[in-house]
Amino acid sequence: VEIYSLHVDSKVTSRFAHTIITSKIINRANESREATFEVELPKTAFITNFSMSIDGKVYPGVIKEKASAQKEYDVAVSRGQSAGLVRITGRKVEQFHVSVSVAAASRVTFKLAYEELLRRQLGLFELLVRVRPQQLVKHFQIDVHIFEPQGIRFLETDSTFMTNELAEALTKVQNETKAHILFKPTVDQQKTNPELGETLLNGDFLVRYDVKRGATAGDIQIVNGYFVHYFAPQEMPVFPKNVVFVIDRSGSMSGRKIEQTKDALLKILQDLRPEDHFSFVTFNNQVAEWKRALLPATAENVASAAGFVQTLTARGGTDINRALLTAVGVLEKAAGLPERSVSMVILLTDGQPNSGESNVEVIQQNIQKAINGKYALFCLGFGFDVNYGFLEKMALSNGGIARRLYENADTALQLQGFYQEVATPILTRIEMQYPENAVEGLTTNNFKLFFEGSEIIVSGKINKEIEILPVEIKAQSHSGDLTLNEEAYVKEKEHVFQNQSYIFGNFIERLWAYLTIEQLLEKSVSAQEEQQKALEERALELSLQYGFVTPLTSMVVTKPSGQQQKELATKPTEAG
């Protein structure tokens, strides 16, 4: 079974990426064989389409509500269940895998499409294409087209498998607002060495870029009655931060985990700014404070903390409740902190609460009551023994986010990278205001914190009669209260996207739907039962209307008769 053509085509229009992967396979054997289509896509993406075409007959995937898709599937497979077509396979990716039996000399074309909104992290947008054909491919091609009306400030490609020969197959054409990246290696260029038929193409192909930013109140783009507003202020003073690190030192952290944690903490200590205040709470079944107060990040205190970090050892149980309450207490009783500063708790744990209070709902309530909206809580779950749903709910209920750290060689870098994302708060209490009569269906437009290197995105529908969309942004910066105003002329803005050959339809409307679904699902994590139901119903409605495979929908894939007829593609979540 030979893959004779593999084409990845990505169009990124104003951060919204639409990717189509097409694989063409021929069975050169004289009997029927299994043809497999296996690709990895970013976790942040929603699949929008899949089809198999076998000898000219097309078998499309159909997106349905998860429960009804499951019912249809169960009827078809009353003789036992096979695993779904999509599973999480890494820190950033999930895998889509489907096999179909192909007759001798027959051809099959697999086509998968997915969409995602690229998020700015540490100053860059990143488009990830995972490349793993597992054989030499006669026609192999990756095309990435980028159109950013704000202008492209910086663009680079990166890959984990590039050689000098392969680099010759890479071309990059770029002007003020557009870029085209083409990677088209010949069969010879793909080989690990001339004698063997093994491929070098195995790993990540990355495109990273950033846009130019002129207007202080961000950039507004409009297409067919929908708008998106991007806001990422530059060169603002950084708020001093007061941070308590809450570190799990229970028995399960022993060995490599505690060593990697120590490595990362030593580097994070070096990154603290002199005006920051910090402390450590460590816990197993006992909770210990490094110092009984927050200390300024002087060279002397940082050196003393580094000495403390190096002494950490792991044994015992896991009392998350008392550890977090202790950390909140450290912030509560802190004196002499800068008047305008940002306070946060960063929890790192690899296990479930099994010492002290172990009921996760009680812990969530305790912590929310103690924090009371004053501080942000970030939860890092190390590995797969954590109750990720619990950590996520706790973080989202307290103005922070959760992240899973994957246990591998770069875990210390993952931890450091996370810290860098939250290390430079430059705005608090951001309100993006639009006239009520001008917009509807607005995505989240109030934000607690804005960190340097990220970007705020708000989207919505515009009233048809409006000619000018005025915007007011209110926020607090370190140097004082901030008010920014901007006006977008609807006709002028819509003109930007006319005559662009590679814009996919109503992309801002799809971006709005993607962002709305993502936010509804996120809100449902920390919502009460009744509200949770309403949020999920609305998210389901939009998922079906716009054809997204989200955690609430499934794609039913039907195969030719005589084979296991139906399979399901369902979006996995980090919380399982």
Side-chain angles (χ1 to χ4, degrees):
V1 174
E2 177 198 329
I3 302 173
Y4 62 92
S5 165
L6 185 59
H7 188 193
V8 180
D9 184 33
S10 250
K11 294 178 169 53
V12 184
T13 307
S14 186
R15 337 281 199 267
F16 198 57
H18 176 84
T19 302
I20 299 174
I21 300 176
T22 309
S23 174
K24 296 182 177 180
I25 295 177
I26 184 165
N27 177 8
R28 296 203 184 278
N30 49 15
E31 57 187 9
S32 63
R33 289 276 161 93
E34 264 310 76
T36 298
F37 176 67
E38 184 178 280
V39 295
E40 287 180 300
L41 59 144
K43 283 180 184 175
T44 44
F46 291 153
I47 290 172
T48 55
N49 226 318
F50 172 71
S51 68
M52 292 181 288
S53 136
I54 303 169
D55 289 335
K57 185 169 183 210
V58 179
Y59 298 84
V62 181
I63 296 175
K64 304 194 169 181
E65 182 192 356
K66 205 173 189 174
S68 65
Q70 189 66 46
K71 209 180 281 174
E72 195 174 315
Y73 174 73
D74 290 343
V75 169
V77 199
S78 49
R79 60 179 185 280
Q81 217 168 327
S82 82
L85 301 176
V86 188
R87 63 191 182 98
I88 289 180
T89 47
R91 185 160 65 92
K92 291 183 176 179
V93 290
E94 55 198 33
Q95 182 193 76
F96 180 93
H97 174 114
V98 68
S99 298
V100 62
S101 176
V102 185
S106 279
R107 292 169 188 254
V108 55
T109 298
F110 294 105
K111 207 172 205 171
L112 179 74
Y114 58 85
E115 291 177 353
E116 64 181 314
L117 180 56
L118 303 181
R119 293 301 163 82
R120 190 164 180 255
Q121 277 188 332
L122 302 174
L124 294 174
F125 301 100
E126 181 179 276
L127 179 79
L128 164 67
V129 177
R130 182 59 69 88
V131 180
R132 209 176 260 170
Q134 295 173 344
Q135 56 172 271
L136 299 171
V137 178
K138 191 174 174 186
H139 303 287
F140 179 92
Q141 186 169 334
I142 296 176
D143 273 293
V144 178
H145 289 273
I146 299 172
F147 174 49
E148 286 289 351
Q150 283 172 268
I152 298 169
R153 181 188 69 76
F154 167 85
L155 176 73
E156 68 172 10
T157 57
D158 192 6
S159 135
T160 53
F161 52 77
M162 205 53 80
T163 61
N164 290 342
E165 282 74 40
L166 281 175
E168 290 168 18
L170 180 66
T171 55
K172 202 162 74 172
V173 182
Q174 174 184 358
N175 65 19
E176 186 72 15
T177 57
K178 291 184 192 149
H180 176 212
I181 289 148
L182 172 65
F183 179 54
K184 197 177 178 180
T186 62
V187 168
D188 283 343
Q189 286 170 321
Q190 293 170 39
K191 288 180 178 174
T192 45
N193 73 38
E195 282 74 54
L196 296 174
E198 286 175 14
T199 178
L200 285 164
L201 304 181
N202 182 3
D204 296 345
F205 183 81
L206 300 156
V207 178
R208 297 193 191 96
Y209 73 93
D210 196 19
V211 300
K212 294 178 177 166
R213 289 180 178 78
T216 46
D219 189 75
I220 292 175
Q221 296 169 22
I222 299 171
V223 172
N224 294 344
Y226 284 79
F227 82 91
V228 61
H229 183 182
Y230 296 111
F231 178 55
Q234 291 164 293
E235 291 159 19
M236 307 277 286
V238 176
F239 276 100
K241 52 182 190 305
N242 315 309
V243 54
V244 182
F245 296 96
V246 182
I247 307 298
D248 185 340
R249 54 181 167 86
S250 61
S252 53
M253 283 286 289
S254 64
R256 193 173 170 195
K257 282 187 195 168
I258 196 82
E259 291 311 316
Q260 289 177 317
T261 300
K262 283 154 70 165
D263 287 348
L265 289 174
L266 291 172
K267 295 203 172 68
I268 287 169
L269 282 167
Q270 298 309 313
D271 287 342
L272 288 170
R273 292 185 159 78
E275 59 275 15
D276 291 341
H277 285 69
F278 74 106
S279 194
F280 286 93
V281 169
T282 64
F283 69 98
N284 45 26
N285 39 335
Q286 302 289 319
V287 173
E289 293 178 64
W290 166 55
K291 301 283 189 213
R292 298 208 66 79
L294 274 179
L295 295 184
T298 61
E300 194 181 338
N301 287 337
V302 166
S304 160
F308 164 74
V309 165
Q310 275 157 335
T311 66
L312 288 178
T313 55
R315 63 172 79 82
T318 310
D319 189 345
I320 292 176
N321 182 60
R322 206 150 55 86
L324 283 175
L325 290 175
T326 304
V328 173
V330 171
L331 289 170
E332 284 289 315
K333 58 179 195 269
L337 298 179
E339 191 182 329
R340 280 184 180 251
S341 58
V342 169
S343 297
M344 59 178 81
V345 174
I346 299 178
L347 166 70
L348 170 70
T349 179
D350 78 329
Q352 315 234 5
N354 60 13
S355 178
E357 180 56 70
S358 59
N359 179 326
V360 292
E361 279 167 18
V362 174
I363 297 174
Q364 281 158 359
Q365 286 160 8
N366 290 348
I367 305 310
Q368 198 166 347
K369 197 171 153 193
I371 287 180
N372 196 16
K374 289 181 288 198
Y375 319 122
L377 171 63
F378 298 97
C379 296
L380 301 175
F382 203 142
F384 284 87
D385 296 329
V386 291
N387 178 340
Y388 188 82
F390 156 64
L391 295 180
E392 183 179 42
K393 185 170 180 176
M394 234 177 7
L396 292 173
S397 306
N398 294 290
I401 55 171
R403 225 12 109 72
R404 192 190 296 279
L405 297 180
Y406 277 68
E407 286 179 64
N408 50 31
D410 76 342
T411 307
L413 287 173
Q414 292 173 46
L415 181 49
Q416 252 176 284
F418 173 80
Y419 172 75
Q420 282 167 345
E421 282 176 55
V422 299
T424 47
I426 56 175
L427 292 178
T428 64
R429 297 192 204 157
I430 306 105
E431 293 175 27
M432 314 280 283
Q433 298 175 340
Y434 312 86
E436 269 178 34
N437 63 344
V439 298
E440 57 176 304
L442 208 55
T443 59
T444 302
N445 63 330
N446 286 335
F447 304 87
K448 259 185 149 167
L449 287 169
F450 174 78
F451 298 101
E452 193 172 61
S454 65
E455 179 174 66
I456 282 175
I457 306 172
V458 180
S459 184
K461 303 180 212 183
I462 302 179
N463 185 327
K464 286 188 175 62
E465 283 75 61
I466 296 287
E467 289 178 13
I468 295 174
L469 177 64
V471 180
E472 182 167 79
I473 301 175
K474 290 188 163 168
Q476 295 187 349
S477 77
H478 184 233
S479 47
D481 292 358
L482 193 67
T483 303
L484 302 167
N485 290 289
E486 185 72 57
E487 287 187 335
Y489 291 84
V490 176
K491 287 271 179 288
E492 197 181 292
K493 290 285 180 187
E494 288 204 304
H495 190 68
V496 172
F497 289 101
Q498 280 161 359
N499 319 322
Q500 296 301 337
S501 55
Y502 54 80
I503 284 176
F504 46 101
N506 296 340
F507 86 94
I508 293 185
E509 184 176 346
R510 293 192 68 77
L511 182 160
W512 166 82
Y514 171 101
L515 189 57
T516 304
I517 292 165
E518 193 183 67
Q519 291 177 353
L520 288 166
L521 292 172
E522 199 170 272
K523 281 181 187 141
S524 77
V525 169
S526 54
Q528 299 302 315
E529 201 171 330
E530 230 162 84
Q531 194 199 0
Q532 191 170 34
K533 227 172 155 176
L535 291 165
E536 286 182 354
E537 269 170 23
R538 177 69 181 132
L540 171 62
E541 194 184 315
L542 287 170
S543 302
L544 292 170
Q545 186 184 339
Y546 289 94
F548 288 127
V549 177
T550 68
L552 303 171
T553 52
S554 291
M555 181 185 276
V556 182
V557 175
T558 306
K559 297 183 181 181
S561 56
Q563 305 188 35
Q564 182 185 334
Q565 277 263 272
K566 290 188 184 341
E567 290 203 82
L568 287 190
T570 300
K571 181 150 188 77
T573 63
E574 202 62 76

